[in-house]
């Protein structure tokens, strides 16, 4: 069967010359268009030594243009220019690290809506690694959570479409859709010999950022599911409600499976429990505006609005606290946990967090599109970098009996940023990249992963971390409904970390 390919050395000279003339015209047009659009002096570039070049690399642009033209001329089916350019931008950004991505108009709109706490879909925070979609955390009270999806699940198929080869934006588009429509996911999960197939019905996802309840007189519980624009005011309301009947003796702040969100919300949440003007987090990057320190003061979390924290009960600054974390606690969750841990304001209890210590900035582009790129690393008040390392709890408690400690984390993602303060970081990144590039297989750590406790079981007798937390605060642990749910007092579930100076 004849193939449509560019001429080779065996092609008749006239045909080859004609193809080359066409290619040359296309090449010149593309390069000229790029340079004119960006207003860059192409010829001045040639005169500069490579070490002094500050503009675009002309030779590499020519290579790009040749590839572009070859696809336009010889690909088996016609391809629109816009699609090729969008794919090129997407590949350029997504190959930087696991959290940088190109947002087309639809994805950009969904991102903006999502920060307000409402969007359409399944209610699942996902990431992309080597072409596979992995569950970072299901969002509470959503189809994904009710279906039992767990941190670390690997989505291998969406309906009849294999995920391998899709971009993250393409996968998200297939996961989302009109409310009341269904989507079938094929899930690979540790401990299951066969893939798990689940059918979910899409909903309009309205995320309740803060949930709270009085456990018993004097003991409160607050869970933050995601850091949004409304999180600070919702937390203030929760605190005031918990203090209605008098001072608290203890408070549990649950950040488990919270994938993060807005930086200013994390600063505001920290400010609820810290003295005014305490440093909460600092960021450092190459650009001048990426170097910043955020304090527990209104101008760093309210963005010019009236201070939500002005009417908090005074006792919230000193009430004994325990912060619950696990491998699904990421980004903004780690900022809060790290700040409260550095100041010894709270005991952090649970398992090591995800380790996403980088800041992403959304840069709008023409056509209602945008790029989300990593612009800085963030650091705890004592200067610790969490990137690819996470927050180590003061008290380590497994979620379920025999659960593995090495679940999916930032350090397992191919292309992750290294922790520049970790002397072993330079060795760990290539190993993670190598493990994640073996024909699309999971890394060894993924294969060893044990799914965590279901969100529906939080604050019950099955929740070992919660049981240990309430005991340490002096409250009454919940009673198991049956013998299988009991937590034995003899189980070696708790590991107390010795006190050590912060490096």
């Amino acid at each position: 069967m004849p193939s449509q390919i560019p001429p080779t050395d065996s092609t008749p000279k006239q045909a080859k010359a004609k193809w080359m003339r066409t290619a040359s015209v296309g090449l010149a047009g593309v390069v000229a268009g790029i340079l004119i659009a960006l207003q860059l002096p192409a010829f001045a570039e040639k005169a500069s030594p490579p070490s002094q070049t500050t503009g675009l690399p002309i030779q590499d642009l020519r290579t790009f243009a040749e590839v572009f033209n070859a696809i336009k001329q010889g690909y088996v089916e016609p391809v629109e220019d816009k699609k090729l350019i969008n794919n090129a931008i997407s590949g350029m950004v997504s190959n930087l690290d696991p959290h940088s991505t190109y947002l087309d108009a639809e994805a950009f709109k969904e991102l903006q809506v999502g920060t307000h706490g409402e969007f359409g879909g399944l209610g699942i925070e996902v990431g992309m690694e080597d072409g596979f979609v992995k569950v970072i955390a299901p969002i509470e009270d959503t189809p994904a959570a009710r279906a039992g999806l767990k941190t670390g699940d690997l989505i291998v198929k969406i309906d009849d479409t294999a995920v391998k080869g899709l971009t993250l934006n393409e996968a998200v588009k297939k996961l989302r859709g009109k409310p009341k429509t269904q989507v079938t996911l094929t899930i690979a999960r540790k401990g299951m010999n066969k893939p798990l197939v689940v059918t979910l019905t899409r909903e309009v996802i309205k995320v309740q950022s803060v949930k709270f309840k009085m456990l018993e007189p004097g003991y409160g519980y607050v869970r933050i599911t995601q850091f949004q624009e409304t999180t600070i005011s919702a937390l203030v309301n929760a605190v005031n409600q918990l203090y209605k009947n008098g001072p608290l003796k203890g408070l549990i702040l649950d950040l488990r499976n919270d994938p993060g969100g807005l930086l200013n919300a994390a600063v505001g949440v920290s400010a609820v429990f810290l003295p005014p003007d305490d440093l909460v987090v600092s960021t450092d990057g190459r650009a001048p505006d990426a170097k910043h320190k955020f304090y527990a003061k209104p101008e760093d979390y309210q963005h010019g609005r009236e201070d939500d924290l002005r009417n908090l009960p005074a006792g919230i600054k000193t009430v004994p606290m325990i912060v619950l974390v696990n491998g699904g606690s990421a980004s903004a969750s780690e900022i809060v946990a790290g700040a409260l841990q550095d100041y010894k304001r709270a005991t952090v209890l649970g398992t090591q967090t995800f380790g996403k210590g980088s800041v992403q900035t959304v840069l709008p582009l023409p056509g209602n599109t945008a790029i989300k790129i990593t612009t800085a690393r963030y650091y705890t008040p004592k200067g610790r970098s969490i990137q690819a390392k996470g927050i180590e709890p003061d008290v380590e408690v497994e979620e379920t009996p025999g659960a593995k400690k090495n679940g999916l984390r930032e350090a397992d993602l191919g292309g992750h940023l290294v922790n520049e303060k970790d002397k072993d970081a330079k060795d760990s990144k290539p190993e993670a990249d190598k493990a994640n590039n073996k024909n699309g297989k999971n890394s060894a750590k993924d294969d060893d992963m044990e799914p965590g406790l279901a969100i529906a079981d939080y604050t019950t007798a099955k929740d070992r971390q919660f049981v240990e937390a309430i005991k340490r605060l002096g409250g009454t642990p919940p009673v198991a409904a049956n013998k299988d749910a009991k937590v034995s007092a003899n189980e070696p579930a708790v590991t107390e970390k010795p006190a050590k100076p912060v490096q």
Side-chain angles (χ1 to χ4, degrees):
M1 193 171 179
S3 58
Q4 300 294 325
I5 58 174
T8 64
D9 289 338
S10 60
T11 308
K13 291 183 178 179
Q14 290 182 341
K16 183 175 181 179
K18 181 178 180 181
W19 191 90
M20 287 299 293
R21 285 196 299 272
T22 305
S24 298
V25 172
L27 168 61
V30 172
V31 173
I34 293 173
L35 295 176
I36 291 172
L38 296 175
Q39 298 181 350
L40 293 173
F43 297 104
E45 185 98 21
K46 294 181 180 179
S48 302
S51 61
Q52 299 177 11
T53 298
T54 57
L56 290 176
I58 300 304
Q59 185 56 50
D60 291 336
L61 275 178
R62 290 194 178 99
T63 301
F64 168 80
E66 288 180 10
V67 173
F68 183 95
N69 197 74
I71 294 173
K72 291 292 293 181
Q73 293 292 326
Y75 187 66
V76 63
E77 294 179 349
V79 185
E80 294 182 355
D81 291 352
K82 182 177 180 179
K83 181 177 181 180
L84 286 177
I85 295 297
N86 284 346
N87 288 346
I89 296 172
S90 178
M92 176 168 54
V93 177
S94 63
N95 278 288
L96 295 172
D97 63 70
H99 308 292
S100 295
T101 186
Y102 169 68
L103 304 170
D104 60 18
E106 183 177 349
F108 187 28
K109 180 179 179 181
E110 289 175 350
L111 176 68
Q112 293 170 308
V113 172
T115 60
H116 290 78
E118 182 176 329
F119 56 92
L122 304 175
I124 179 174
E125 181 79 12
V126 296
M128 180 67 77
E129 177 192 347
D130 192 32
F132 292 94
V133 174
K134 290 188 177 180
V135 176
I136 301 300
I139 300 172
E140 206 163 338
D141 292 336
T142 64
R146 291 193 291 271
L149 270 65
K150 298 181 179 181
T151 296
D153 280 349
L154 180 68
I155 301 176
V156 297
K157 187 182 289 187
I158 304 172
D159 287 327
D160 295 325
T161 303
V163 170
K164 180 67 175 176
L166 298 179
T167 66
L168 182 58
N169 287 340
E170 290 170 339
V172 168
K173 284 181 182 179
K174 291 184 177 296
L175 291 172
R176 293 184 176 180
K178 293 182 179 180
K180 298 183 180 180
T181 61
Q182 292 188 326
V183 59
T184 299
L185 306 182
T186 303
I187 305 291
R189 178 182 291 174
K190 170 66 179 176
M192 301 187 67
N193 295 327
K194 295 181 180 180
L196 174 67
V197 179
V198 293
T199 299
L200 300 88
T201 301
R202 298 180 178 95
E203 297 177 359
V204 174
I205 307 300
K206 296 183 179 180
V207 180
Q208 186 178 344
S209 176
V210 177
K211 300 185 176 185
F212 67 95
K213 63 180 177 180
M214 185 68 78
L215 300 169
E216 59 183 279
Y219 294 91
Y221 171 88
V222 175
R223 169 162 168 73
I224 300 179
T225 62
Q226 203 170 17
F227 288 81
Q228 305 166 350
E229 290 183 356
T230 59
T231 298
I232 301 173
S233 59
L235 177 59
V236 169
N237 175 66
V239 169
N240 285 325
Q241 291 295 321
L242 290 173
Y243 270 84
K244 257 189 173 182
N245 296 321
L248 293 180
K249 300 176 184 177
L251 178 68
I252 296 175
L253 177 62
D254 194 345
L255 301 178
R256 290 175 296 179
N257 287 325
D258 183 331
L262 300 177
L263 177 60
N264 70 296
V267 176
V269 167
S270 302
V272 169
F273 308 105
L274 295 174
D277 297 338
D278 268 5
L279 176 65
V280 174
V281 64
S282 61
T283 62
D284 190 20
R286 290 199 304 148
D289 58 359
K291 304 175 188 296
H292 197 81
K293 291 185 177 181
F294 298 86
Y295 295 86
K297 52 187 180 181
E299 50 265 41
D300 281 349
Y301 58 79
Q302 286 296 117
H303 288 177
R305 300 190 300 269
E306 191 174 4
D307 186 11
D308 286 328
L309 275 55
R310 65 192 183 282
N311 294 321
L312 279 172
I316 197 63
K317 301 291 185 181
T318 57
V319 61
M321 282 183 65
I322 289 183
V323 178
L324 297 180
V325 297
N326 65 3
S329 305
S331 191
S333 299
E334 295 173 292
I335 290 176
V336 175
L340 298 182
Q341 186 182 57
D342 273 7
Y343 289 116
K344 301 188 184 303
R345 174 64 187 87
T347 297
V348 178
L349 186 150
T351 55
Q352 186 174 356
T353 61
F354 187 78
K356 183 183 177 295
S358 60
V359 179
Q360 281 67 49
T361 301
V362 177
L363 305 174
L365 298 173
N368 295 320
T369 63
I371 56 173
K372 183 177 71 172
I373 60 172
T374 301
T375 54
R377 291 179 172 88
Y378 66 72
Y379 302 85
T380 70
K382 301 299 182 183
R384 291 184 293 158
S385 174
I386 302 168
Q387 175 59 23
K389 187 174 182 180
I391 295 293
E392 295 183 12
D394 302 306
V395 180
E396 186 174 326
V397 181
E398 296 175 351
E399 290 185 87
T400 54
K404 305 293 183 181
K405 296 180 182 179
N406 292 327
L408 171 70
R409 289 187 172 85
E410 176 81 6
D412 303 321
L413 302 180
H416 68 271
L417 292 178
V418 299
N419 186 316
E420 78 285 10
K421 294 194 174 186
D422 186 347
K423 63 180 180 180
D424 298 323
K426 291 184 178 180
D427 294 328
S428 65
K429 180 178 177 180
E431 289 303 314
D433 291 348
K434 182 179 179 181
N436 286 318
N437 285 321
K438 292 182 178 179
N439 300 320
K441 295 181 180 179
N442 300 330
S443 69
K445 287 188 176 181
D446 294 337
D447 292 338
D448 291 339
M449 183 171 48
E450 183 78 14
L453 186 72
I455 291 175
D457 291 325
Y458 283 179
T459 72
T460 69
K462 295 180 181 180
D463 188 347
R464 296 153 59 93
Q465 296 168 338
F466 172 77
V467 168
E468 182 64 26
I470 193 65
K471 284 167 56 178
R472 285 174 174 264
L473 287 174
T476 305
V479 178
N482 57 67
K483 64 179 182 179
D484 295 329
K486 289 181 180 179
V487 179
S488 171
N490 297 323
E491 285 184 339
V494 181
T495 302
E496 192 88 37
K497 293 293 180 68
K500 57 183 179 180
V502 177
Q503 301 296 321

